[in-house]
Amino acid sequence: MKVSELAKRGGVTAETVRHYTREGLLAPTRHPDNGYQLYSTADLERLHFIQRARKLGFSVAEIRDILTHADQGDSPCPLVRDFLANRLPQIRARIAELEALANRMEQALESWQDMPDGTPDGHSLCRLIESFPEESPCSHKR
């Protein structure tokens, strides 16, 4: 099947199929007469696997490593567990950062509710943002 058919059957765009092909996740054959990339049902199964892995948060590079292990006949399961075990604390930290951001946004909206709009005057750009307290350097971690 051609790129467009694989994309349709896989529920992705043709550009996604091309991207995964460029990244080495899919390995189509070439039609001898016209050079079109031809994908098999095994490629469709692989595409479904890639989609599941992406939903679990795996990067393209991690998926490539997983597929390489599998293609060599090695179980990629220990690698998969390690990837997720390492990623989960990062995800939890990012969620905490986003929760803190949402709280700051809510505080800002509440404090700005009755403030009048201002116009830039050379000393002030936007009094709403300027009225919001700065974080102390100690409380800002990155």
Side-chain angles (χ1 to χ4, degrees), residues 9 56 77 141:
R9 290 178 63 184
L56 280 167
C77 294
K141 298 177 189 172

Side-chain angles (χ1 to χ4, degrees), residues 96-107:
E97 290 173 9
L98 290 172
E99 286 288 341
L101 174 59
N103 289 335
R104 286 192 305 274
M105 293 172 121
E106 287 170 349
Q107 290 171 354

Side-chain angles (χ1 to χ4, degrees), residues 7 13 17-18 25 31 34 45 59 65 68 71 91 93 102 117 123:
T13 65
V17 171
R18 289 184 192 99
L25 303 181
H31 190 284
N34 57 24
E45 292 170 13
S59 69
D65 288 347
T68 298
D71 291 345
I91 295 299
D117 293 342
H123 299 287

Side-chain angles (χ1 to χ4, degrees), residues 27-96:
T29 59
R30 291 272 180 192
H31 190 284
D33 296 333
N34 57 24
Y36 286 166
Q37 294 177 324
L38 298 176
Y39 296 87
S40 66
T41 55
D43 289 311
L44 179 59
E45 292 170 13
R46 200 166 171 111
L47 179 59
H48 287 306
F49 176 86
I50 293 166
Q51 290 172 288
R52 283 197 233 29
R54 294 292 288 157
K55 283 187 179 183
L56 280 167
F58 290 100
S59 69
V60 169
E62 290 168 336
I63 295 168
R64 187 182 309 108
D65 288 347
I66 293 164
L67 291 172
T68 298
H69 273 75
D71 291 345
Q72 293 172 350
D74 298 330
S75 172
C77 294
L79 182 65
V80 167
R81 285 186 190 97
D82 288 346
F83 281 151
L84 280 189
N86 290 330
R87 176 73 49 76
L88 189 56
Q90 297 168 356
I91 295 299
R92 294 217 186 275
R94 184 69 179 129
I95 290 169

